[in-house]
Amino acid sequence: MSQTWWRGAAIYQVYLRSFADGNGDGIGDLAGLRSRLTYLKDLGVDAIWLNPWYPSPMADGGYDVADYRDIEPVFGTLDEAEAFIAEAHALDIKVIIDVVPNHSSTESAWFKEALADRRARDRFWFRDEPDNDWRSIFGGPAWTQVADGQWYLHLFAPEQPDFNWDNPEVHQEFEDVLRFWFDRGVDGFRIDSAALLFKSADGYEDLDGVHDVYRRWREVADEYGGRVLIGEVWLPDQERFARYLRPDELHTAFNFDFLSCPWEPAALRRVIDLTLATHTPIGAPPTWVLSNHDVTRPVTRYGRADTAFEHGGRLHGTPSDLELGYRRARAAALLAMALPGSVYVYQGEELGLPEVEDLPDEVRQDPMYARSGGTNPGRDGCRVPLPWSGDGPPFGFGPVPGPGAGPGTGAEAGAGPAAPWLPQPESWRKLTAEAQAGDLGSMLNLYRSGLALRRDLLGDGTLTWLPSAADVLAFTRDSGLACVANLGRTPVPLPPGQVVLSSGPLDEGELPPDTTAWVLPPGSGA
Ligand code: NOJ
Ligand code: CA
C-alpha cells in the first residue's frame, strides 16, 4: 500500500472490550480480535483503529491510562499486541491505536508520585484552591481535592487527572510514547481530546499551544513514513478546525459535523459542502463518520423524530421507529462510503445494531451516567458486546471453538464462557454476523459489497454535484460512479446506467425514499 494509504482508507473501529472474547471471561480481548481478523478482511477494511488497550482501572473505558507502554492484562500482553500487529499486516490491514495526551489515570506512576510528593506535581494541574469553576465534561466539578488539601484539575472523571502541557517533561514523554509504538509497527494514532491539552484563564478549548505539539508529532511520524495522525477535534469553527490539518500537523481529523448531522437533505448537503470547502484548500482528505463508541447508534438515532446527535440530548425514553432508522442507516452508509476521503465503520454498525436503551441501571458503567445523576443514560448502549453467532446470549462472543474443543477436553457444556460484561438483547439473534453472512439483503452484505466497490471506484478524490431535486443528494465521483440518496417522500428517477448497489429495492426502476443507490454510467464496462 502507498505511503498515503490513509487518504482514502476504510477504517474499522474496534472497541476491544466488546469485540470478541478469546478467553471466556466475558470481556473482549486481543485473543478474540486475532481470532476474528479474517472477518475484518472479508468485510474489506484497510485499517483497524483500536480504542485504548493500555493498563487501566477502566474508570472511563480505558481512557484513564495507567501505563502508555503496556497492554491491559485483561486484554492480553505486549507480545500478543505485537503478534496482532504482525497478523493484521500480513492481511494488508493497518493498525491505528489511541493515544490519550490530555489526561492520565490516578493509577499512573506519575500521578502516584505526585500524590506522594508535592514537588512532583507540576506534570499535572495542582492548585491550593481551584483556579476556576469549570465543570467536568461528564458532569460535576472539574476539580477534586487530595488528602493534603490541594486540588487537581480533571476535565473528565476524577480518575483522569489532566496533564500540564506547560511542562516540557510531558512533551518528551508523549514523543517517546509515539516512538515506542511506531517501533512496534503501529501505523498511526487517533489522538484523544486533541484540542484540549492547554489550559489558561480563558478556558481550555483550542488554545494555540496545541499546534506546536502536533507539528512536533508530525516530525516524529514523518521519520517513520507512511504513518497517520488522526485528531479527535470537536470544533464547530471550520477555520480553527482546519488549522489542525495544515500540511505540517495532523493528517486527518474526525468529521463530527457529519456524524451529528440530522437525516435531512439541506443539512447534509451543507455539511458535505462545508467539509469539502474546509479540506480542499489545505489538501487534507475529509473523513466520513456515522458512529463511534461515544454516540447513539445510527439505526436508533435515524428512527427518532429528531435525527441529529447531540451529547446532551441523549435522553432516556426517546421513541424510535427502528425499521425506519434501519432503512436510513443503510442509505447513510452508502452515502458515507461514496464521499471523497476516508470512511470509518464502528464495530456493529455493519451489523445494523441498534442502541441498547434498556440496560438495567446497575450494569451501566459509563461515568457520564453516574456523574449526570442518571439523567444522561451515557454511552454503554452503543458498547454492548457484538453478537457473532447462535440463538441467544452470549451469541458467540466467547472463544471460537477450536479443533480441541468438545467432550473430554474441558471445554464441554458447563464450562462455558462467562456472560458478556454488558448484557445483549435476545432480539439480536437475527443480527448475528453468522445469521447475516448468508443473507444477501443483510446489512453485513451491504457493507461488504459497498466496501469492495469503494476500493476500486471511490475513496480519495473529488466530487461533482449533479442537478437534482432539493431533497435528493446526487453526485458523481472521479471514476464516473454516481451516488444518489433520496431523502424526500416520493421515488425519484436515477441517472442512466447500471445500478451496481442500492441500500434497498428500487420501485419500478426509481429510487424510493430513504434509499441510496450507486450507478455506473452506460458504457463504463462494469
Ligand atoms: C473522547 C473519547 O472518545 C471518550 O470515549 C472519552 O470518554 C473522552 N475522550 C475522554 O478521554
Ligand atoms: Ca476476555
Side-chain angles (χ1 to χ4, degrees), residues 20-30 32 74-75 397:
D21 171 18
N23 68 351
D25 65 356
I27 304 172
D29 49 38
L30 282 169
V74 169
F75 294 154
F397 180 66

Side-chain angles (χ1 to χ4, degrees), residues 281-400:
I282 43 176
T287 67
W288 306 99
V289 190
L290 290 173
S291 68
N292 66 31
H293 64 294
D294 291 330
V295 309
T296 309
R297 290 233 183 234
V299 167
T300 300
R301 179 159 70 88
Y302 289 142
R304 291 179 176 163
D306 178 357
T307 53
F309 173 77
E310 204 212 313
H311 278 293
R314 224 180 228 290
L315 302 173
H316 292 275
T318 310
S320 175
D321 173 347
L322 293 183
E323 242 175 72
L324 178 65
Y326 182 81
R327 195 159 70 240
R328 290 176 170 172
R330 291 175 65 91
L334 290 197
L335 174 65
M337 284 184 213
L339 289 163
S342 59
V343 69
Y344 285 79
V345 179
Y346 170 50
Q347 69 179 42
E349 191 184 307
E350 82 282 15
L351 300 176
L353 300 185
E355 184 85 359
V356 181
E357 298 194 276
D358 58 355
L359 288 169
D361 288 346
E362 61 278 12
V363 305
R364 291 187 194 273
Q365 299 203 9
D366 184 2
M368 209 177 238
Y369 170 70
R371 289 181 67 82
S372 69
T375 54
N376 186 327
R379 302 162 294 180
D380 294 307
C382 65
R383 299 175 176 181
V384 172
L386 291 192
W388 290 97
S389 59
D391 289 330
F395 290 120
F397 180 66
V400 179

